[in-house]
Amino acid sequence: MTDETVHKSQETRSRRGIASYFRRLANRLSRGEPAPADEEQTVTVTPPAESEFEVEVEREDGTVTLEIDMEWNEDEGEVATDVAASKATFEVYEDSAEQYRWRLRHDNGNIIADSGEGYASKQKAEQGLESVKSNAPGAYVVDESKDDSVVEEGGSKATFELFKDSEGKARWRLRHDNGEIIADCGQGYASKQKAKQGLQSVKTNARGAPVEEGE
């Protein structure tokens, strides 16, 4: 049997971003679900219930390396490539005021997020949705409807804020660290649980969602 590198990537990330990646991996592994090897979630692995696990820390010429290896027989687990990375699609469109907007539409037809504002150009709208792609999966969740805000762990340059609107409905917005709101739920939910389910769908589907022209 020949050796094959199915996937390899290398980049600089913050500690929060690395923690977010491991957290997503750990959640899938603990549930026995296919775990994404790449950020786009197009390559997944499904290890067996038990596998060889090795952790190694090395120091060499002033550089420290942390290596984490899992190994199992190929016939005991699965590797999938070209996975359907998302169950949603970003649609970029021009509104009645001739401004550009985006919305994230689930395969079931529901709009699960939108830009919340119009942009002067299509390029700006696309830059906005790319920021959501990058930051939504690992974003913190802050519950602003409580006196003592509860922060669910995450790791990105944005934060999901849960809050109640003037009609008492639960909503969320995704706020970048620079203070800008980069995504909005677009609708009120009857319960906080439903709002959380909505933002979780955005966390799961934003990264690998294709971008199309909308009407």
Side-chain angles (χ1 to χ4, degrees), residues 2 7 28 46 56 71 82 94 105 111 119 135 165 186 198:
T2 58
H7 171 75
R28 298 286 183 87
T46 310
E56 182 176 359
E71 184 175 314
D82 297 326
E94 191 174 6
R105 187 185 298 275
I111 295 173
Y119 294 88
N135 290 296
D165 63 17

PDB file of all heavy atoms in Angstrom, residues 2 7 28 46 56 71 82 94 105 111 119 135 165 186 198:
ATOM      1  N   THR A   2       0.608   2.197  -0.874  1.00  0.00           N
ATOM      2  CA  THR A   2       1.429   3.400  -1.001  1.00  0.00           C
ATOM      3  C   THR A   2       1.019   4.441   0.045  1.00  0.00           C
ATOM      4  O   THR A   2      -0.120   4.489   0.496  1.00  0.00           O
ATOM      5  CB  THR A   2       1.271   4.019  -2.401  1.00  0.00           C
ATOM      6  OG1 THR A   2      -0.107   4.323  -2.628  1.00  0.00           O
ATOM      7  CG2 THR A   2       1.742   3.037  -3.468  1.00  0.00           C
ATOM      8  N   HIS A   7      -4.249  15.376   3.652  1.00  0.00           N
ATOM      9  CA  HIS A   7      -4.391  16.806   3.914  1.00  0.00           C
ATOM     10  C   HIS A   7      -3.217  17.293   4.747  1.00  0.00           C
ATOM     11  O   HIS A   7      -2.752  16.605   5.656  1.00  0.00           O
ATOM     12  CB  HIS A   7      -5.691  17.110   4.672  1.00  0.00           C
ATOM     13  CG  HIS A   7      -5.776  18.530   5.159  1.00  0.00           C
ATOM     14  ND1 HIS A   7      -6.036  19.587   4.316  1.00  0.00           N
ATOM     15  CD2 HIS A   7      -5.590  19.069   6.388  1.00  0.00           C
ATOM     16  CE1 HIS A   7      -6.027  20.708   5.011  1.00  0.00           C
ATOM     17  NE2 HIS A   7      -5.755  20.430   6.269  1.00  0.00           N
ATOM     18  N   ARG A  28     -16.491  16.651  18.266  1.00  0.00           N
ATOM     19  CA  ARG A  28     -16.877  15.628  17.293  1.00  0.00           C
ATOM     20  C   ARG A  28     -16.367  14.246  17.715  1.00  0.00           C
ATOM     21  O   ARG A  28     -17.087  13.253  17.591  1.00  0.00           O
ATOM     22  CB  ARG A  28     -16.324  15.991  15.915  1.00  0.00           C
ATOM     23  CG  ARG A  28     -16.843  17.303  15.340  1.00  0.00           C
ATOM     24  CD  ARG A  28     -18.268  17.196  14.863  1.00  0.00           C
ATOM     25  NE  ARG A  28     -18.710  18.436  14.252  1.00  0.00           N
ATOM     26  CZ  ARG A  28     -18.541  18.747  12.972  1.00  0.00           C
ATOM     27  NH1 ARG A  28     -17.908  17.919  12.157  1.00  0.00           N
ATOM     28  NH2 ARG A  28     -18.982  19.898  12.497  1.00  0.00           N
ATOM     29  N   THR A  46     -12.815   9.743  10.954  1.00  0.00           N
ATOM     30  CA  THR A  46     -13.626   9.071  11.968  1.00  0.00           C
ATOM     31  C   THR A  46     -12.789   7.951  12.562  1.00  0.00           C
ATOM     32  O   THR A  46     -12.762   6.836  12.039  1.00  0.00           O
ATOM     33  CB  THR A  46     -14.923   8.501  11.366  1.00  0.00           C
ATOM     34  OG1 THR A  46     -15.584   9.511  10.601  1.00  0.00           O
ATOM     35  CG2 THR A  46     -15.859   7.997  12.451  1.00  0.00           C
ATOM     36  N   GLU A  56       4.269  14.714  22.085  1.00  0.00           N
ATOM     37  CA  GLU A  56       5.713  14.920  22.185  1.00  0.00           C
ATOM     38  C   GLU A  56       6.024  16.418  22.170  1.00  0.00           C
ATOM     39  O   GLU A  56       5.497  17.161  21.340  1.00  0.00           O
ATOM     40  CB  GLU A  56       6.431  14.235  21.024  1.00  0.00           C
ATOM     41  CG  GLU A  56       7.947  14.355  21.076  1.00  0.00           C
ATOM     42  CD  GLU A  56       8.628  13.582  19.961  1.00  0.00           C
ATOM     43  OE1 GLU A  56       7.917  12.935  19.168  1.00  0.00           O
ATOM     44  OE2 GLU A  56       9.870  13.630  19.876  1.00  0.00           O
ATOM     45  N   GLU A  71      -3.066   7.458  15.722  1.00  0.00           N
ATOM     46  CA  GLU A  71      -2.789   6.460  14.683  1.00  0.00           C
ATOM     47  C   GLU A  71      -3.717   5.269  14.857  1.00  0.00           C
ATOM     48  O   GLU A  71      -3.953   4.792  15.974  1.00  0.00           O
ATOM     49  CB  GLU A  71      -1.326   6.002  14.784  1.00  0.00           C
ATOM     50  CG  GLU A  71      -0.909   5.036  13.689  1.00  0.00           C
ATOM     51  CD  GLU A  71       0.564   4.697  13.757  1.00  0.00           C
ATOM     52  OE1 GLU A  71       1.385   5.639  13.914  1.00  0.00           O
ATOM     53  OE2 GLU A  71       0.904   3.503  13.683  1.00  0.00           O
ATOM     54  N   ASP A  82     -13.539  15.852   0.041  1.00  0.00           N
ATOM     55  CA  ASP A  82     -14.591  16.510  -0.743  1.00  0.00           C
ATOM     56  C   ASP A  82     -15.953  16.400  -0.051  1.00  0.00           C
ATOM     57  O   ASP A  82     -16.978  16.164  -0.687  1.00  0.00           O
ATOM     58  CB  ASP A  82     -14.680  15.922  -2.160  1.00  0.00           C
ATOM     59  CG  ASP A  82     -13.408  16.154  -2.950  1.00  0.00           C
ATOM     60  OD1 ASP A  82     -12.784  17.205  -2.754  1.00  0.00           O
ATOM     61  OD2 ASP A  82     -13.028  15.280  -3.745  1.00  0.00           O
ATOM     62  N   GLU A  94     -28.446  42.913  -4.382  1.00  0.00           N
ATOM     63  CA  GLU A  94     -28.611  44.363  -4.321  1.00  0.00           C
ATOM     64  C   GLU A  94     -30.018  44.671  -3.832  1.00  0.00           C
ATOM     65  O   GLU A  94     -31.003  44.149  -4.380  1.00  0.00           O
ATOM     66  CB  GLU A  94     -28.367  44.973  -5.695  1.00  0.00           C
ATOM     67  CG  GLU A  94     -28.256  46.484  -5.696  1.00  0.00           C
ATOM     68  CD  GLU A  94     -27.876  47.034  -7.066  1.00  0.00           C
ATOM     69  OE1 GLU A  94     -27.810  46.240  -8.029  1.00  0.00           O
ATOM     70  OE2 GLU A  94     -27.643  48.256  -7.173  1.00  0.00           O
ATOM     71  N   ARG A 105     -28.416  31.418   3.639  1.00  0.00           N
ATOM     72  CA  ARG A 105     -29.645  30.644   3.529  1.00  0.00           C
ATOM     73  C   ARG A 105     -29.349  29.151   3.720  1.00  0.00           C
ATOM     74  O   ARG A 105     -28.498  28.578   3.035  1.00  0.00           O
ATOM     75  CB  ARG A 105     -30.303  30.862   2.172  1.00  0.00           C
ATOM     76  CG  ARG A 105     -31.691  30.209   2.062  1.00  0.00           C
ATOM     77  CD  ARG A 105     -32.258  30.344   0.664  1.00  0.00           C
ATOM     78  NE  ARG A 105     -32.459  31.727   0.260  1.00  0.00           N
ATOM     79  CZ  ARG A 105     -33.543  32.440   0.555  1.00  0.00           C
ATOM     80  NH1 ARG A 105     -34.514  31.896   1.264  1.00  0.00           N
ATOM     81  NH2 ARG A 105     -33.652  33.686   0.134  1.00  0.00           N
ATOM     82  N   ILE A 111     -33.460  31.626   6.161  1.00  0.00           N
ATOM     83  CA  ILE A 111     -32.310  32.535   6.245  1.00  0.00           C
ATOM     84  C   ILE A 111     -31.850  32.537   7.699  1.00  0.00           C
ATOM     85  O   ILE A 111     -32.593  32.934   8.596  1.00  0.00           O
ATOM     86  CB  ILE A 111     -32.692  33.959   5.799  1.00  0.00           C
ATOM     87  CG1 ILE A 111     -33.074  33.940   4.313  1.00  0.00           C
ATOM     88  CG2 ILE A 111     -31.539  34.928   6.041  1.00  0.00           C
ATOM     89  CD1 ILE A 111     -33.629  35.245   3.808  1.00  0.00           C
ATOM     90  N   TYR A 119     -24.059  47.589   1.995  1.00  0.00           N
ATOM     91  CA  TYR A 119     -22.701  48.015   1.659  1.00  0.00           C
ATOM     92  C   TYR A 119     -22.718  48.789   0.352  1.00  0.00           C
ATOM     93  O   TYR A 119     -23.556  48.548  -0.525  1.00  0.00           O
ATOM     94  CB  TYR A 119     -21.780  46.801   1.510  1.00  0.00           C
ATOM     95  CG  TYR A 119     -21.550  46.017   2.781  1.00  0.00           C
ATOM     96  CD1 TYR A 119     -22.416  44.987   3.153  1.00  0.00           C
ATOM     97  CD2 TYR A 119     -20.473  46.301   3.609  1.00  0.00           C
ATOM     98  CE1 TYR A 119     -22.205  44.260   4.315  1.00  0.00           C
ATOM     99  CE2 TYR A 119     -20.244  45.576   4.772  1.00  0.00           C
ATOM    100  CZ  TYR A 119     -21.119  44.563   5.117  1.00  0.00           C
ATOM    101  OH  TYR A 119     -20.903  43.840   6.259  1.00  0.00           O
ATOM    102  N   ASN A 135     -14.696  34.169  11.378  1.00  0.00           N
ATOM    103  CA  ASN A 135     -14.853  34.390  12.815  1.00  0.00           C
ATOM    104  C   ASN A 135     -16.021  33.674  13.474  1.00  0.00           C
ATOM    105  O   ASN A 135     -15.975  33.422  14.685  1.00  0.00           O
ATOM    106  CB  ASN A 135     -14.975  35.893  13.071  1.00  0.00           C
ATOM    107  CG  ASN A 135     -13.683  36.633  12.822  1.00  0.00           C
ATOM    108  OD1 ASN A 135     -12.687  36.419  13.484  1.00  0.00           O
ATOM    109  ND2 ASN A 135     -13.698  37.517  11.824  1.00  0.00           N
ATOM    110  N   ASP A 165     -34.889  41.714  22.426  1.00  0.00           N
ATOM    111  CA  ASP A 165     -35.222  42.972  21.762  1.00  0.00           C
ATOM    112  C   ASP A 165     -36.370  43.676  22.488  1.00  0.00           C
ATOM    113  O   ASP A 165     -36.818  43.225  23.547  1.00  0.00           O
ATOM    114  CB  ASP A 165     -35.553  42.732  20.283  1.00  0.00           C
ATOM    115  CG  ASP A 165     -36.777  41.841  20.067  1.00  0.00           C
ATOM    116  OD1 ASP A 165     -37.576  41.659  21.015  1.00  0.00           O
ATOM    117  OD2 ASP A 165     -36.944  41.333  18.946  1.00  0.00           O
ATOM    118  N   GLY A 186     -31.479  38.506  12.029  1.00  0.00           N
ATOM    119  CA  GLY A 186     -32.508  38.930  11.089  1.00  0.00           C
ATOM    120  C   GLY A 186     -33.930  38.709  11.552  1.00  0.00           C
ATOM    121  O   GLY A 186     -34.878  39.154  10.915  1.00  0.00           O
ATOM    122  N   GLY A 198     -30.043  28.786  16.438  1.00  0.00           N
ATOM    123  CA  GLY A 198     -29.803  29.543  15.218  1.00  0.00           C
ATOM    124  C   GLY A 198     -28.353  29.944  15.064  1.00  0.00           C
ATOM    125  O   GLY A 198     -27.755  29.761  14.001  1.00  0.00           O
TER     126      GLY A 198
END
